[in-house]
Amino acid sequence: MTSIGIFPFGQPVREIIQTDRTPKRVFVLGVYASAVHAHWVGTNHKTIVKALAVASEPYIFWRGEDEKSIILQITVPRLLGKLIPPDKRFNGPSGVALDDLILKPLGLSRADTWLCDLVPHSCVNPSQTKAIERAYFPVAKTHGLPMATVPPVPSSLTNEKRRKEILDEIIESESRILILLGDMPIKWFLSYFENRWKKLSEFGMDSQSYGRLHDAGIGGKEIKVLPLAHPRQIAKLGRSSAVWLNVHQAWFEQSATKVARIISYL
């Protein structure tokens, strides 16, 4: 397997893809894979990094289970302190939000769902990059540790090759419904096949239009598209939009059951 990168303290950056390849009712397209985060504390028990990305998530849209055992497998030189589980909001919240705020209201479970990301591996955002440069790079050189090479979030989330790979997964899944999580899957995937839409708001932002099924054609395949806000927005994870939070909540309370009934007949 081609190397994608190395996390701080040496774990490889792995590609995270759907492992259950049996046919699914619904295909969910997200943005990029998450990571396992750890709280790095020094020998003086003071925080070095509050939440450092140290390993690839064990499965796509991970819910945060077994974080402690994953973190304990990572070797840290004694002089550099230790890694412990971080605050609960750092591991698995998107996976939990996907299950509780999207799949469950639609009468779906993971067993019904094929999961995919535009970028199928972990990436580091600017704040993670700064933390690694500040805290890890200096001690990595001193202690002979591998230099962290986790790729940054790319400016282009797909290219023609990646869009073909996603299309092949959709066809393999035999799904009749494509759930798109937020703006990025619309911009970097759907719009290349259906130029009617470039972002989530173009499907509508009021309770009468948000979270509805739309007919679309993708690579010669007819499919129902269900655009929804990203779990980050609907679960208030970090910087998020109150507008999308409220729109999704209204959909959850007023319309999700109706959409679930339609899905059950497809």
Side-chain angles (χ1 to χ4, degrees):
M1 180 184 292
T2 303
S3 175
I4 300 172
I6 300 292
F7 284 100
F9 299 109
Q11 294 293 305
V13 178
R14 298 186 297 108
E15 190 174 82
I16 307 299
I17 60 174
Q18 177 78 9
T19 55
D20 176 4
R21 313 292 284 196
T22 56
K24 303 297 179 188
R25 294 170 62 194
V26 172
F27 192 101
V28 175
L29 185 58
V31 184
Y32 61 84
S34 188
V36 179
H37 294 82
H39 184 186
W40 182 9
V41 295
T43 54
N44 59 2
H45 305 293
K46 292 185 178 180
T47 295
I48 298 173
V49 179
K50 181 169 58 176
L52 181 69
V54 293
S56 293
E57 60 181 350
Y59 61 84
I60 192 167
F61 279 95
W62 177 49
R63 290 177 54 92
E65 307 98 324
D66 301 320
E67 62 173 356
K68 184 175 182 180
S69 63
I70 296 170
I71 292 167
L72 287 176
Q73 293 173 20
I74 300 169
T75 302
V76 178
R78 186 172 299 177
L79 291 175
L80 298 183
K82 61 182 178 179
L83 301 177
I84 60 175
D87 186 281
K88 290 182 179 180
R89 71 182 184 274
F90 291 109
N91 282 330
S94 288
V96 172
L98 173 67
D99 287 352
D100 294 351
L101 302 178
I102 293 176
L103 297 184
K104 187 176 179 180
L106 292 173
L108 300 167
S109 69
R110 293 285 179 113
D112 304 309
T113 309
W114 188 296
L115 303 175
C116 183
D117 281 314
L118 297 171
V119 181
H121 57 76
S122 300
C123 302
V124 287
N125 59 30
S127 63
Q128 275 288 320
T129 298
K130 288 179 182 178
I132 291 170
E133 291 175 347
R134 169 185 62 81
Y136 181 76
F137 280 171
V139 299
K141 293 178 181 178
T142 303
H143 292 268
L145 298 172
M147 295 305 290
T149 56
V150 187
V153 179
S155 56
S156 297
L157 295 177
T158 63
N159 53 27
E160 186 176 353
K161 176 177 179 291
R162 180 57 187 155
R163 290 189 291 274
K164 175 63 165 54
E165 291 171 347
I166 295 169
L167 176 59
D168 287 346
E169 283 196 49
I170 292 173
I171 293 170
E172 183 183 353
S173 75
E174 301 181 18
S175 298
R176 296 183 179 182
I177 299 162
L178 170 60
I179 297 178
L180 301 164
L181 301 180
D183 285 336
M184 296 300 102
I186 299 168
K187 176 180 179 180
W188 290 103
F189 182 73
L190 180 65
S191 69
Y192 286 87
F193 303 95
E194 287 277 8
N195 62 13
R196 289 178 286 169
W197 307 291
K198 297 291 193 300
K199 56 186 178 179
L200 181 59
S201 60
E202 292 176 355
F203 287 91
M205 298 180 66
D206 58 64
S207 59
Q208 300 304 311
S209 55
Y210 173 82
R212 299 297 192 270
L213 291 160
H214 301 262
D215 292 322
I218 299 176
K221 177 181 173 67
E222 294 300 315
I223 198 166
K224 298 284 188 181
V225 170
L226 178 56
L228 295 169
H230 192 275
R232 180 185 185 89
Q233 308 291 350
I234 63 179
K236 296 190 290 186
L237 305 175
R239 293 180 181 178
S240 57
S241 165
V243 173
W244 286 120
L245 172 67
N246 293 332
V247 169
H248 188 85
Q249 183 64 31
W251 171 84
F252 182 95
E253 295 172 353
Q254 302 168 16
S255 305
T257 302
K258 298 175 185 176
V259 180
R261 285 198 210 102
I262 297 171
I263 289 175
S264 70
Y265 289 112
L266 293 175

